Amino acid sequence: GSMFNTWKPMWVILLEDGIEFYKKKSDNSPKGMIPLKGSTLTSPCQDFGKRMFVFKITTNKQQDHFFQAAFLEERDGWVRDTKKAIKCIEGGQKFARKSTRRSIRLPETIDLGALYLSMKDTEKGVKELNLEKDKKIFNHCFTGNCVIDWLISNQSVRNRQEGLMIASSLLNEGYLQPAGDLSKSTADGTAEHPFLDNPDAFYYFPDSGFFCEENSSDDDVILKEEFRGVIIKQGCLLKQGHRRKNWKVRKFILREDPAYLHYYDPAGGEDPLGAIHLRGCVVTSVESNPDVKRSEEENLFEIITADEVHYFLQAATPKERTEWIKAIQVASRTGKLSRNFLRASTAVLAFLLKPYITYSSLKGFIF
């Protein structure tokens, strides 16, 4: 908000020359419009230290407009397309987010959705790797030339020039995401082909669990492992405290493989207040809780972790409770075991097998 600095959810539409925002998606007229001509975009924006994924648009009249996305990839997508729109205005070009097929003359016979599914095939698709560049490790990604190589070997294109056209279409439509400075700067530009056929340009699938990290110690890697999983659900729930039994609104983000449910202060903050490891947990609806008043006993559910820690949560509606329970149940079955559990299991296994095997027969195992 421009007067009281309050934050409100808005339905936002990016046009070729501005950004319109509505109170609701169904509204016919916008609450306001931000002209993009002469504007600048700042991302990440650090003006609000406790808020994640904020970017700022400053108009040519020096008016600041702040937006907060729900997750990192969403923010980067808005920033990338808004920057393109601003550059198109400056260059006298017309920007249209959905004009990929027409602008690069993509054949009507090409089905980008089907091609994307083929690329993601675990056996025959593009192989995801952990790549290192500029003292950073890019996990679950691949190089630009690997994508072109795959398109040619899969007989999707006849040559590298056609492959570049198809890969650019996949990038523009969000089936691929740039990772690293080289691929991001090219995607943000106004070049004919925003995709690079280059071994130093990194890309990833948007739902692959991609994350980037500095070269770090083993302990740092273990901590970041919690955030590697793909976000499969997020929203606000009431959570009961373990000590005072009071209830507070928390923003929850559910990630799969490894399965973690992180909760945050809804007012903002990039660091979670806590995390629930869901592997092997039990989640069920609760019809009665002695710590909750009778009038408030609605839409409760409970998570019992593998370590027998109990968490009581409350959804806004019965439908929302059911959706959360189903999502958590799926994640609890697919998430990986924790590193500490694996280490403990390894120690127990070694102790039990010690009388029967020698070190030379064990040296091929990796735990």
Side-chain angles (χ1 to χ4, degrees), residues 32 37 68 74 95 148 152 179 189 211 234 245 266 273 293 307 315 318 332:
K37 185 176 182 179
Q68 181 181 20
E74 183 182 50
F95 171 76
I148 307 300
I152 294 175
F211 70 103
Q234 58 183 310
K245 304 299 181 182
L273 300 176
K293 296 179 181 179
D307 298 329
S332 68

Side-chain angles (χ1 to χ4, degrees), residues 185-320:
S185 61
T186 305
D188 289 341
T190 57
E192 179 182 1
H193 296 302
F195 189 91
L196 289 176
D197 181 7
N198 191 312
D200 292 325
F202 299 163
Y203 301 89
Y204 66 94
F205 298 122
D207 56 351
S208 65
F210 164 82
F211 70 103
C212 176
E213 60 182 338
E214 303 283 347
N215 285 334
S216 57
S217 65
D218 290 341
D219 291 338
D220 291 336
V221 173
I222 294 172
L223 178 62
K224 292 180 181 179
E225 182 80 2
E226 295 183 13
F227 300 94
R228 183 180 61 81
V230 178
I231 296 176
I232 56 177
K233 188 172 178 60
Q234 58 183 310
C236 289
L237 298 167
L238 278 171
K239 176 185 175 296
Q240 185 185 51
H242 284 91
R243 293 184 179 181
R244 299 182 181 180
K245 304 299 181 182
N246 57 338
W247 292 78
K248 292 185 178 181
V249 177
R250 294 288 181 246
K251 178 182 177 181
F252 286 84
I253 296 180
L254 174 62
R255 290 179 170 89
E256 65 175 2
D257 192 22
Y260 274 91
L261 184 63
H262 294 93
Y263 51 94
Y264 301 75
D265 184 344
E270 295 194 9
D271 297 325
L273 300 176
I276 306 173
H277 190 202
L278 300 176
R279 174 66 179 179
C281 78
V282 176
V283 56
T284 181
S285 59
V286 177
E287 303 305 328
S288 179
N289 183 355
D291 297 314
V292 179
K293 296 179 181 179
R294 177 63 58 180
S295 60
E296 297 175 346
E297 288 182 357
E298 296 181 357
N299 311 319
L300 295 175
F301 62 99
E302 180 183 15
I303 300 174
I304 306 175
T305 68
D307 298 329
E308 297 187 1
V309 180
H310 295 243
Y311 294 88
F312 287 97
L313 307 171
Q314 183 178 23
T317 64
K319 180 182 178 182
E320 185 182 28

Side-chain angles (χ1 to χ4, degrees), residues 20-23 27-33:
E20 290 182 343
F21 49 94
Y22 298 75
K23 192 172 183 180
D27 288 350
N28 294 323
S29 57
K31 294 285 291 183
M33 193 267 197

Side-chain angles (χ1 to χ4, degrees), residues 128-145:
E128 296 180 75
L129 306 169
N130 295 339
L131 304 173
E132 185 173 357
K133 184 177 177 60
D134 298 330
K135 297 183 179 180
K136 293 182 179 179
I137 300 175
F138 298 83
N139 299 268
H140 300 277
C141 67
F142 37 83
T143 62
N145 64 326

Side-chain angles (χ1 to χ4, degrees), residues 314-335:
Q314 183 178 23
T317 64
K319 180 182 178 182
E320 185 182 28
R321 176 175 69 173
T322 301
E323 291 175 351
W324 273 104
I325 290 176
K326 288 182 178 179
I328 292 172
Q329 285 175 338
V330 171
S332 68
R333 292 192 295 267
T334 59

Side-chain angles (χ1 to χ4, degrees), residues 81-120:
D81 286 338
T82 304
K83 283 184 175 180
K84 281 185 180 180
I86 294 174
K87 288 185 177 181
C88 285
I89 293 173
E90 294 174 350
Q93 300 169 319
K94 187 175 181 180
F95 171 76
R97 174 65 176 85
K98 294 299 182 181
S99 65
T100 302
R101 183 176 292 275
R102 293 191 300 271
S103 63
I104 64 173
R105 299 177 183 177
L106 188 66
E108 295 294 333
T109 55
I110 296 294
D111 186 341
L112 293 179
L115 184 60
Y116 167 71
L117 293 177
S118 299
M119 295 177 70
K120 287 202 61 180

